Amino acid sequence: LAQSVGSNTKLIMSNYQDIPRWSLAAWSFYPRLSWPLLNPVVLLLALAALVFAVTSRDFRRTNRLWLLWLLFFYVTFSFYDNRLPRHSTFWWPAWVALAAAGVVWIAERVPRSVALALPALLLLPIPFQLAHAEHQDYSDFHDQMPIAAGMFANGAPGNLLLFGPDKQSWIAL
């Protein structure tokens, strides 16, 4: 909590990179990560859903949970000084849910023949993600080898799952 709301983050985190809390760089940190970390089709559908939220009270009311989730994450984590790409995993479910809600919203307002094909938009990212995963080099851990070596120094710690462009999310299975 001290690094988040305190005034001297360097007391808590000596390697803090000094992105001023009230700067444009700080408040645009997570939105700038959206394009490289979220599939473009899902991101565009979610942005369309945000437009629906601004223009339609009905859409806002129906999708209040996802809109509040997105807003709560953005305000909370953008305010924290400890900004890391791995923290953005907390808001991806809201983006994906809003993308799906946007498809449903459109489907209710177009002819039935078009509406039946719209859910396929949510399937478009799958081949691109699979191709990306196929060509990803999962052996180098992007400078995380010393951490991994330390984990295995005293024997096998169990099963681990690593994901993210920097292999920053470690989950013990």
Side-chain angles (χ1 to χ4, degrees):
L1 186 62
Q3 70 87 17
S4 303
V5 296
S7 60
N8 191 354
T9 302
K10 287 197 177 225
L11 289 175
I12 309 300
M13 299 174 1
S14 59
N15 63 347
Y16 174 59
Q17 306 257 334
D18 286 318
I19 300 174
R21 175 173 287 151
W22 299 110
S23 68
L24 181 62
W27 288 89
S28 66
F29 182 82
Y30 292 108
R32 283 184 285 131
L33 289 176
S34 298
W35 193 256
L37 293 180
L38 193 62
N39 187 283
V41 174
V42 174
L43 183 60
L44 291 174
L45 288 170
L47 290 174
L50 288 178
V51 170
F52 299 151
V54 169
T55 59
S56 170
R57 183 179 191 178
D58 228 16
F59 187 87
R60 266 193 315 275
R61 188 180 47 222
T62 304
N63 297 289
R64 185 178 302 139
L65 172 67
W66 309 121
L67 294 165
L68 288 174
W69 182 336
L70 201 65
L71 179 67
F72 177 77
F73 168 85
Y74 175 72
V75 170
T76 303
F77 281 86
S78 293
F79 183 77
Y80 289 172
D81 283 335
N82 188 17
R83 291 173 198 87
L84 297 169
R86 68 181 176 174
H87 295 158
S88 64
T89 58
F90 293 116
W91 79 337
W92 299 139
W95 281 105
V96 173
L98 281 173
V103 169
V104 169
W105 188 256
I106 294 168
E108 292 171 348
R109 285 151 181 78
V110 296
R112 183 169 167 78
S113 59
V114 175
L116 291 174
L118 284 175
L121 287 175
L122 295 173
L123 299 176
L124 282 176
I126 293 174
F128 300 107
Q129 294 300 110
L130 289 175
H132 176 73
E134 177 70 26
H135 294 61
Q136 184 74 24
D137 180 10
Y138 293 104
S139 63
D140 65 357
F141 299 130
H142 296 276
D143 298 327
Q144 297 296 311
M145 266 315 201
I147 296 171
M151 290 178 66
F152 289 94
N154 295 324
N159 296 322
L160 296 173
L161 175 66
L162 302 143
F163 64 94
D166 299 319
K167 309 301 177 274
Q168 69 271 19
S169 298
W170 297 66
I171 300 174
L173 301 175

